[in-house]
Amino acid sequence: MINIPDEIYTTIKSQLNVVPLLMVGEVHGVKNNIEFYAQLIKLFDIDTLAIELPKNFLNTPNGKYPLDGRFSKEISELIGQTNLRVIYFDTEDTVASWNQRDDQMAKNFLAEFEPSNKTLLVAGNYHIQITSIVNEKNETLYPMGLYLKQKLGN
C-alpha cells in the first residue's frame, strides 16, 4: 500500500470535497503506475477514471493501440476489475498542435465530467500542469490542467 503522509492525505481528501478531481501525471508505459492508480482509487473512494486515450480507442482493432505506453494489459485489467466509470478524453485529431490538443482534451473531459463523482484523471506529466510551460523551442504551451483549473477552480 502507498504511504501518503497524513497532512497530504488530509489535503487531498478535503480538496476532493471541493473539486472532486485528482489529476495524476505519468510517464506513459510504466507498469507500476497501474498499481498506484488502483491504490488511489481505493484510498480516496474514486468513482470515475479519466484516461488519456481517445473515445475511438474502444473500436480500435487489436494491435492498433497507441504504442507510447498509454494502453496496457494492466490498465485494461484495472478497468475490467472495477465498477469505475471511464472517461476517454484524448482527441481523435493527431495533427492538432499541442495547445489545440490540450484544449480539446479538456473540453472532452469536461463534457463527461460529473461533479457528483470523484474522478482520478491520468495523463502525461506535461498535460496535468496547472500553469503555462515554455518548451525548448521557446513556445508557450497551455496544458489541459491549466484549462481545467480555469473552469473548475483549484
Side-chain angles (χ1 to χ4, degrees), residues 3 6 9 11 14 25 40 66 83-84 95 98-99 105 112-113 119 124 134 142 144 148 153:
N3 184 13
D6 290 342
Y9 172 83
T11 299
S14 67
L40 288 175
N83 293 324
L84 291 173
V95 296
W98 200 91
N99 285 332
M105 287 195 303
E112 296 195 40
F113 176 63
T119 300
V134 176
Y142 300 96
M144 174 184 62
L148 294 177

Side-chain angles (χ1 to χ4, degrees), residues 8-117:
I8 294 172
Y9 172 83
T10 303
T11 299
I12 293 171
K13 202 74 162 153
S14 67
Q15 282 295 317
L16 283 170
N17 290 326
V18 176
V19 176
L21 175 61
L22 176 58
M23 294 191 299
V24 176
E26 71 168 7
V27 173
H28 299 312
V30 178
K31 287 187 178 187
N32 292 359
N33 290 348
I34 309 307
E35 181 181 322
F36 178 67
Y37 306 149
Q39 291 178 23
L40 288 175
I41 288 164
K42 192 174 191 175
L43 188 62
F44 294 108
D45 301 316
I46 299 294
D47 305 302
T48 303
L49 175 64
I51 54 179
E52 186 189 345
L53 289 169
K55 280 186 183 182
N56 73 355
F57 162 79
L58 297 172
N59 302 319
T60 304
N62 287 337
K64 300 291 184 183
Y65 302 121
L67 300 176
D68 60 6
R70 288 181 287 159
F71 176 80
S72 66
K73 177 181 140 198
E74 292 80 11
I75 193 73
S76 180
E77 289 173 353
L78 175 65
I79 292 167
Q81 293 172 0
T82 62
N83 293 324
L84 291 173
R85 180 173 169 265
V86 180
I87 298 173
Y88 299 91
F89 61 84
D90 200 355
T91 175
E92 314 279 332
D93 184 2
T94 57
V95 296
S97 74
W98 200 91
N99 285 332
Q100 291 170 327
R101 179 178 174 221
D102 271 51
D103 178 64
Q104 189 59 53
M105 287 195 303
K107 288 175 182 172
N108 292 348
F109 170 77
L110 290 168
E112 296 195 40
F113 176 63
E114 294 180 8
S116 60
N117 291 342

